[in-house]
Amino acid sequence: MTDCIFCKIVEGTLAADIIYEDDFCIAFKDLYPKAPVHVLVIPKKHIENLAALRAEDQPLMGHMLLKLTGIAESQGLEDGFRTITNTGPGGGQEVYHLHFHILGGNIKPA
Ligand code: 5GP
Ligand code: ZN
């Protein structure tokens, strides 16, 4: 998907501060951080959001969820972190490539 900015980050044609990468996902710093630590974790495969997931994506989603804690800890969030994923216009989604926000460093109870 060439008009997707997160696909461009996966392809390496758009710069990002990448902090983790494996065969299935990458994590990079949010360009407009909303917390002292704000990282986005995305699948390399273009999937719009949670609502677009298919049964075949189950192993990929399990893989990503299992990576979140280690990625957060690598950014100094050993005490814990907040994870958000926005789905569709009703969820305030701006970039239509599935991503998990990891936020930490100064989080107030929701
Ligand atoms: P959404 O609102 O879709 O859940 O979140 C999209 C996130 O992507 C926002 O937090 C926004 O700051 C971030 N973002 C938008 N454009 C870029 C970009 O070009 N590079 C990076 N690293 N983050 C971006
Ligand atoms: Zn994409």
Side-chain angles (χ1 to χ4, degrees), residues 72-84:
E73 289 180 353
S74 79
Q75 301 305 297
L77 302 180
E78 291 89 354
D79 279 357
F81 53 93
R82 178 168 293 171
T83 310
I84 296 171

Side-chain angles (χ1 to χ4, degrees), residues 50-81:
L50 291 183
L53 286 171
R54 303 165 75 156
E56 68 200 32
D57 299 315
Q58 186 169 336
L60 173 60
M61 290 301 99
H63 174 85
M64 289 183 64
L65 286 177
L66 289 168
K67 291 294 174 189
L68 294 179
T69 299
I71 292 168
E73 289 180 353
S74 79
Q75 301 305 297
L77 302 180
E78 291 89 354
D79 279 357
F81 53 93

Side-chain angles (χ1 to χ4, degrees), residues 1 4 6-7 46 96-97:
M1 251 221 205
C4 169
F6 287 179
C7 280
H46 181 88
Y96 278 76
H97 182 130

Side-chain angles (χ1 to χ4, degrees), residues 6 9-10 16-30 38-44 60 62-75 100 102:
F6 287 179
I9 289 173
V10 171
D17 193 346
I18 295 172
I19 58 161
Y20 176 81
E21 177 167 12
D22 64 30
D23 287 346
F24 305 104
C25 63
I26 65 170
F28 51 89
K29 294 187 179 175
D30 196 293
H38 189 171
V39 168
L40 303 173
V41 186
I42 73 168
K44 288 187 168 176
L60 173 60
H63 174 85
M64 289 183 64
L65 286 177
L66 289 168
K67 291 294 174 189
L68 294 179
T69 299
I71 292 168
E73 289 180 353
S74 79
Q75 301 305 297
F100 294 105
I102 293 176

